């Protein structure tokens, strides 16, 4: 029987239009724009300059702290400049801009290495290779993976949970990876279990991907300690806290972390990146990105080099559909609008979604009638209508008292609101406001 979480959630239409499109390699870009800020934490420090020749896999940005990640060249060519350049959301970060001259890989990266079921390395050696490879969480948060696999001394991991839910509508890159790179994902799971020193690993997959469930279930029979868990189709099933509750029946406390209850969560794409970093010495230089939308005739799942401009992905599917009014990076629930289509693909990029005016037009707001639909839908057990009221009045103390900081910005409340209130907008603003106040509050 499929498992799920206990509170809230919604059932938007899947729209997994690109699910049957096998992963294809996108041609190399003419110019690559590789940002130093592609992860949670401190941006990397550039270690190359104008005129330098770089090869694929070469470090061009060094991690500048424990919570940071290395950045590598995804192409070979000459560094055109190192300067601030906007990301898809319009925010500028230091970027290494490379005129692409080929696809020459650094010596020591073995792309053709055969799959090895047991890689004879210790936990610390595995973590070191992951850190060197600049691997970050590919489920959206981009938290440096080596940090997650190095819990503090007072915290002990008991199990690893892999997220293969891919609960956002339209997204299919993880689905394709599980079908096409399932064996590598399983070995990557084993490597992370060894790094954590745990004997139990779970891979949670939503039941709308029965082919992935069947495929990985066959593969894990050859590996002890890994279990495939079928999950009910329910958004946001892939949320970290919801996934943990569904799979291992534990609840992360308010303001807590999964490691507080002995769990570490990673994405299936991250497991593949871990496998490649450890066995092939291949850093994170490419990403599978879904290009989709109801009006798009050429649905695709592309393997893209980090730093390729979004415009080249869009050109590869025949350009923007005529009725496109918004390009969203990610899914329709938690994705964000792209403001700059010459901006690059980042490590955290999962999809380019084309939406029409009909799909994006907001209906006129009306008065809240206290119907409680937003409360029923909230997977964190919050009262969005009340938090919205406090946010409008800038009642910061009340927002904190009512746990606005626990909001996961999933959009369930706004999806269900019959008054069409901009609940998500207010929740995002209020949450960030309260978290900033809490962060800057003097500690006793």
């Amino acid at each position: 029987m499929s498992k799920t979480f206990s509170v809230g959630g919604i059932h938007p239409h899947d729209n997994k239009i690109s699910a049957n499109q096998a992963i294809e390699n996108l041609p190399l870009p003419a110019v690559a724009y590789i940002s130093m800020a592609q992860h949670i934490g401190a941006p990397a420090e550039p270690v190359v300059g104008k005129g330098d020749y770089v090869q694929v896999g070469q470090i061009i940005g060094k991690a500048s702290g424990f919570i940071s990640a290395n950045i590598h060249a995804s192409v070979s060519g000459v560094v055109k400049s190192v300067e601030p350049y906007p990301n898809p959301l319009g925010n500028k970060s230091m970027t290494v801009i490379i005129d692409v001259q080929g696809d020459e890989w650094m010596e020591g990266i073995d792309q053709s290495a055969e799959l090895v079921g047991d890689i004879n390395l210790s936990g610390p050696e595995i973590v070191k290779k992951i850190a060197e490879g600049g691997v970050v969480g590919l489920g959206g948060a981009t938290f440096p993976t080596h940090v997650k696999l190095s819990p503090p001394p007072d915290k002990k991991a008991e199990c690893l949970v892999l997220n293969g839910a891919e609960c956002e509508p339209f997204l299919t890159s993880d689905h394709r990876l599980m079908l096409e790179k399932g064996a590598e994902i399983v070995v990557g799971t084993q490597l992370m279990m060894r790094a954590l020193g745990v004997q139990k690993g779970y891979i949670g997959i939503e039941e709308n991907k029965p082919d992935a469930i069947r495929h990985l279930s066959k593969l894990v029979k050859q590996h002890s300690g890994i279990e495939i868990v079928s999950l009910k189709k329910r958004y946001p099933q892939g949320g970290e806290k919801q996934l943990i509750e569904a799979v291992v029946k534990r609840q992360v406390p308010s303001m807590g972390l999964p490691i507080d209850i002995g769990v570490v969560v990673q994405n299936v794409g991250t497991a593949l990146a871990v496998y490649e970093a450890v066995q092939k010495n291949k850093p994170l230089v490419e990403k599978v990105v879904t290009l989709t939308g109801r009006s798009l005739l050429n649905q695709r799942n592309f393997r893209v080099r980090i730093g390729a401009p979004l415009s080249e992905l869009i050109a590869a599917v025949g350009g923007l559909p005529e009725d496109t009014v918004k390009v969203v990076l990610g899914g329709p629930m938690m994705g964000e609008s792209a403001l700059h289509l010459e901006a690059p693909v980042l490590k955290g990029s999962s999809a380019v979604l084309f939406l029409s005016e009909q799909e994006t037009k907001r209906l006129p707001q009306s008065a809240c009638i206290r119907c409680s639909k937003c409360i029923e839908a909230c997977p964190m057990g919050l009262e969005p209508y009340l938090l919205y009221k406090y946010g409008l009045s800038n009642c910061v103390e009340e927002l904190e008292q009512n746990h606005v900081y626990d909001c996961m910005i999933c959009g369930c409340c706004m999806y269900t609101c019959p008054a069409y209130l901009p609940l998500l907008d207010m929740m995002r603003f209020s949450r960030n406001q309260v978290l900033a106040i809490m962060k800057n509050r003097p500690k006793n």
Side-chain angles (χ1 to χ4, degrees):
M1 180 179 291
S2 296
K3 300 181 179 181
T4 192
F5 54 98
S6 61
V7 177
I10 58 175
H11 297 86
H13 193 282
D14 280 359
N15 286 309
K16 303 288 189 179
I17 312 169
S18 54
N20 294 323
Q21 297 297 323
I23 298 170
E24 305 172 55
N25 290 322
L26 188 77
L28 293 178
V31 180
Y33 302 83
I34 305 179
S35 169
M36 297 293 102
Q38 300 190 52
H39 48 264
I40 285 179
E45 292 286 344
V47 293
V48 294
K50 182 178 180 180
D52 289 345
Y53 180 81
V54 296
Q55 296 175 307
V56 183
Q58 179 178 334
I59 289 185
I60 59 175
K62 289 282 288 182
S64 59
F66 180 59
I67 302 182
S68 186
N70 289 335
I71 304 291
H72 300 77
S74 61
V75 293
S76 60
V78 176
V79 176
K80 183 178 179 180
S81 64
V82 180
E83 61 183 75
Y85 190 81
N87 67 15
L89 304 182
N91 302 315
K92 288 188 176 182
S93 61
M94 196 57 68
T95 299
V96 176
I97 303 175
I98 303 171
D99 277 328
V100 180
Q101 296 183 354
D103 197 24
E104 181 183 352
W105 289 69
M106 286 283 290
E107 186 177 351
I109 300 175
D110 188 0
Q111 295 188 81
S112 61
E114 293 184 7
L115 180 70
V116 176
D118 184 23
I119 300 169
N120 189 25
L121 292 174
S122 67
E125 289 172 328
I126 291 169
V127 173
K128 183 172 183 287
K129 277 183 166 284
I130 291 169
E132 289 172 348
V135 180
V136 300
L138 299 181
T142 63
F143 195 87
T145 302
H146 68 278
V147 178
K148 263 196 177 183
L149 298 178
S150 307
D154 60 329
K155 307 286 185 183
K156 180 172 175 56
E158 297 173 13
C159 65
L160 172 71
V161 176
L162 245 66
N163 182 4
E166 199 167 45
C167 60
E168 274 259 12
F170 289 100
L171 307 190
T172 61
S173 55
D174 284 349
H175 187 181
R176 294 310 311 178
L177 282 176
M178 288 187 284
L179 292 177
E180 299 181 37
K181 296 289 183 179
E184 291 87 343
I185 288 171
V186 170
V187 175
T189 304
Q190 281 193 311
L191 290 169
M192 290 190 284
M193 289 169 62
R194 186 180 302 172
L196 290 166
V198 302
Q199 303 302 313
K200 191 64 182 177
Y202 303 89
I203 304 177
I205 308 172
E206 274 198 346
E207 59 190 1
N208 60 352
K209 306 171 189 64
D211 48 357
I213 293 173
R214 288 193 300 268
H215 181 54
L216 288 181
S217 294
K218 290 179 183 177
L219 291 172
V220 299
K221 288 180 180 178
Q222 307 166 30
H223 304 271
S224 62
I226 303 177
E227 179 182 336
I228 304 302
V229 180
S230 175
L231 303 169
K232 286 187 179 179
K233 185 175 75 70
R234 184 179 179 189
Y235 177 84
Q237 184 66 80
E240 202 169 51
K241 295 181 179 181
Q242 288 69 37
L243 183 66
I244 290 170
E245 183 188 358
V247 172
V248 296
K249 299 302 179 187
R250 301 183 187 183
Q251 292 191 341
V252 180
S254 176
M255 293 296 286
L257 297 171
I259 192 62
D260 296 333
I261 55 170
V263 182
V264 172
V265 178
Q266 298 284 5
N267 177 265
V268 290
T270 309
L272 173 61
V274 164
Y275 166 78
E276 293 186 330
V278 174
Q279 179 174 348
K280 300 184 176 184
N281 295 315
K282 178 183 174 182
L284 183 53
V285 295
E286 56 188 11
K287 181 78 171 65
V288 176
V289 179
T290 300
L291 275 82
T292 185
R294 289 193 185 99
S295 300
L296 184 65
L297 296 178
N298 300 310
Q299 305 283 322
R300 290 291 187 273
N301 288 295
F302 281 130
R303 182 178 290 106
V304 183
R305 297 293 174 92
I306 303 298
L310 293 173
S311 59
E312 297 203 14
L313 279 72
I314 294 169
V317 294
L320 291 173
E322 288 185 5
D323 62 352
T324 300
V325 297
K326 184 178 287 188
V327 177
V328 172
L329 302 177
M333 300 299 295
M334 297 185 74
E336 297 184 273
S337 298
L339 301 179
H340 179 50
L341 296 184
E342 290 304 317
V345 169
L346 306 175
K347 291 181 179 181
S349 301
S350 60
V352 180
L353 172 61
F354 306 101
L355 296 177
S356 66
E357 183 176 4
Q358 183 180 358
E359 293 170 306
T360 59
K361 186 176 181 180
R362 292 195 178 186
L363 296 173
Q365 295 175 215
S366 58
C368 174
I369 59 171
R370 308 294 194 272
C371 67
S372 79
K373 285 190 175 181
C374 60
I375 299 174
E376 294 171 4
C378 180
M380 297 305 297
L382 303 177
E383 297 179 279
Y385 84 93
L386 182 62
L387 294 169
Y388 178 75
K389 175 184 174 183
Y390 287 144
L392 283 176
S393 302
N394 198 32
C395 298
V396 179
E397 289 185 12
E398 287 81 358
L399 286 166
E400 183 175 347
Q401 290 167 4
N402 285 274
H403 304 275
V404 71
Y405 44 73
D406 280 334
C407 174
M408 56 187 290
I409 318 296
C410 66
C412 288
C413 55
M414 191 165 168
Y415 182 88
T416 59
C417 180
Y420 306 113
L421 298 177
L423 297 173
L424 179 61
D425 303 338
M426 183 59 73
M427 295 290 278
R428 180 182 283 115
F429 175 81
S430 298
R431 176 180 178 270
N432 292 341
Q433 182 185 29
V434 170
L435 285 174
I437 291 171
M438 293 171 68
K439 181 179 179 181
N440 295 317
R441 184 176 292 153
K443 296 181 180 179
N444 295 329

